[in-house]
Amino acid sequence: MHAAFFLLLGASLTRFLIRHPGDGRTSWIVALSAALAALYVLGPALGSRPTPRRLGWLAAVVAVWMVLVVLAPSFSWCAVPLFYTGLRTLPTRAALVLVALLTAFVVAAQLMLAEGVDPNLVVAPPAVAAVATAVFVQMQRQGDRQRLLIDDLIRTRRELADTERREGTLAERQRLSMEIHDTLAQGLSSQQMLLQASERVWESDPAAARRHVRTAESIAERNLAEARRFVHDLAPAELATGGSLPEALRALAARAATESGLDVRLHVDGTPVPLPDRVESALLRIAQGALANVTEHAGAATAALTLTYLGDQIVLDVADDGRGFVAVAPREGRGHGLPAIRARVAQLGGSLTVESAPGEGAVLSAAIPLEER
């Protein structure tokens, strides 16, 4: 639109100089054309808001243009860019009044150039002004709607990001609570049981008391390693050294036998294959949680860990010959053990089944799907 203004201004000045050579108005026409061009150049620096400076500039441009139109009616065609300048600067109603005023001035100028009354000169300028105004108003409305949509999209994205951040924080808190329950909390519980046992036999059987204290000391050492691992990357200490899952489960079974006197055996079926770190970590934590439940609640003499590689999934079974219990709905179990195990399995898209009956022991089975190789 700026280019069109200067093109029309130059064409109008050229037309006047060609049509009226040596006219006494020439110096005024040239000076006013230069002044109008200079004023128009200053417009963008004043912004588009209807500030007093911007309104004063618009009034000066329109006044100079009107004087030019009076002196040389051919300058009337510069009105079209001025329509848009007024529409961009003034509120809609005030801009429409300005457009009507400029259009009337254009019609009067064209009639001055015509030798007689030409209906086209009366109809064409208002039609052009109406089309130009309608196009601008429609574009402005679309622009306003797009700005609203963009603002709404930005706001929605921020809300979504905040929601995802909160969900991530809650998920991380839940994961940490399960990690702490399956490691530090269980270790502290074992230490408490061992220290209480050592206190009971401190005088009657000092050797047994010392064994309990040494076992509690080893548990504390392992818990310290777990705590340091939490600070590092929250991976199980048994797997962080590069050991395989069967080796970690075998070490877990040996520790459970040493600490609680429970006879724990490990069976591995199928061909072992490398597993994702998060799957190995989850299965080890599930085994820890299940053995802790057996030790604390089952009153069992033996327990069996069975790790089965089935190609498209891996299954961990934990069975014991304890007192058993009445199976309940997932949300009705007491404590944090089974809910934590169920949450770990669900996070990996697996399934958990628990089979038990009073006096018949219990079997916990966690099946984790594996991606196709």
Side-chain angles (χ1 to χ4, degrees):
M1 195 56 59
H2 295 329
F5 174 80
F6 288 107
L7 179 62
L8 292 172
L9 181 63
S12 300
L13 178 59
T14 303
R15 182 180 185 277
F16 176 82
L17 295 177
I18 293 175
R19 293 286 185 91
H20 308 280
D23 193 296
R25 298 170 297 173
T26 301
S27 57
W28 284 101
I29 295 296
V30 173
L32 289 171
S33 297
L36 182 58
L39 283 172
Y40 195 89
V41 168
L42 295 176
L46 300 177
S48 59
R49 295 181 177 276
T51 60
R53 295 179 60 187
R54 175 76 176 183
L55 294 176
W57 168 83
L58 180 61
V61 169
V62 172
V64 174
W65 172 79
M66 286 183 171
V67 173
L68 273 174
V69 172
V70 171
L71 296 177
S74 58
F75 283 90
S76 60
W77 291 109
C78 294
V80 175
L82 294 181
F83 291 165
Y84 285 97
T85 302
L87 289 168
R88 290 181 64 245
T89 303
L90 300 174
T92 303
R93 292 184 179 180
L96 294 178
V97 172
L98 178 61
V99 169
L101 176 63
L102 297 180
T103 304
F105 220 73
V106 169
V107 172
Q110 294 301 311
L111 291 176
M112 289 174 58
L113 288 175
E115 296 179 355
V117 178
D118 187 349
N120 289 332
L121 298 180
V122 178
V123 176
V128 172
V131 171
T133 302
V135 170
F136 179 86
V137 171
Q138 180 65 19
M139 291 176 61
Q140 190 175 45
R141 289 176 178 174
Q142 289 181 352
D144 292 340
R145 285 196 294 267
Q146 287 180 350
R147 279 191 293 272
L148 291 175
L149 290 175
I150 291 173
D151 292 341
D152 185 61
L153 177 60
I154 293 175
R155 184 172 57 256
T156 302
R157 284 184 174 180
R158 289 175 179 171
E159 293 175 354
L160 179 60
D162 292 339
T163 301
E164 292 177 347
R165 192 178 300 110
R166 287 193 298 269
E167 291 178 352
T169 301
L170 293 176
E172 184 65 12
R173 288 178 178 176
Q174 182 182 10
R175 188 172 73 91
L176 285 175
S177 68
M178 291 188 297
E179 293 284 346
I180 293 173
H181 172 270
D182 292 341
T183 55
L184 301 182
Q186 292 175 3
L188 292 173
S189 176
S190 298
Q191 291 179 60
Q192 182 183 28
M193 294 171 59
L194 289 168
L195 293 175
Q196 289 174 347
S198 67
E199 184 179 9
R200 287 193 298 268
V201 298
W202 190 266
E203 295 182 356
S204 61
D205 192 352
R210 283 193 293 270
R211 285 197 305 271
H212 291 328
V213 172
R214 285 195 295 270
T215 303
E217 181 183 6
S218 66
I219 294 175
E221 182 179 359
R222 188 170 63 255
N223 273 10
L224 180 60
E226 288 286 357
R228 289 171 176 169
R229 183 56 53 189
F230 286 157
V231 175
H232 185 259
D233 59 0
L234 296 178
E238 297 85 345
L239 298 174
T241 57
S244 65
L245 179 60
E247 293 174 353
L249 291 175
R250 193 170 287 110
L252 174 64
R255 285 201 309 273
T258 302
E259 296 169 3
S260 63
L262 185 67
D263 183 13
V264 184
R265 300 178 182 179
L266 172 67
H267 305 280
V268 179
D269 294 333
T271 302
V273 296
L275 300 175
D277 293 342
R278 62 194 187 102
V279 174
E280 289 188 340
S281 177
L283 289 174
L284 180 59
R285 296 305 190 204
I286 290 171
Q288 288 177 329
L291 287 179
N293 285 344
V294 172
T295 302
E296 296 179 12
H297 308 298
T302 62
L305 299 176
T306 304
L307 186 65
T308 307
Y309 293 86
L310 297 178
D312 60 342
Q313 66 177 342
I314 184 168
V315 180
L316 174 65
D317 297 317
V318 183
D320 68 82
D321 60 356
R323 63 176 62 95
F325 59 92
V326 178
V328 295
R331 294 184 180 180
E332 297 174 1
R334 68 181 182 87
H336 193 72
L338 278 178
I341 293 174
R342 196 176 301 277
R344 288 184 185 279
V345 174
Q347 288 175 355
L348 297 174
S351 59
L352 178 72
T353 57
V354 180
E355 298 178 0
S356 182
E360 298 183 5
V363 178
L364 180 147
S365 180
I368 308 298
L370 301 176
E371 297 180 357
E372 295 184 1
R373 295 189 164 277

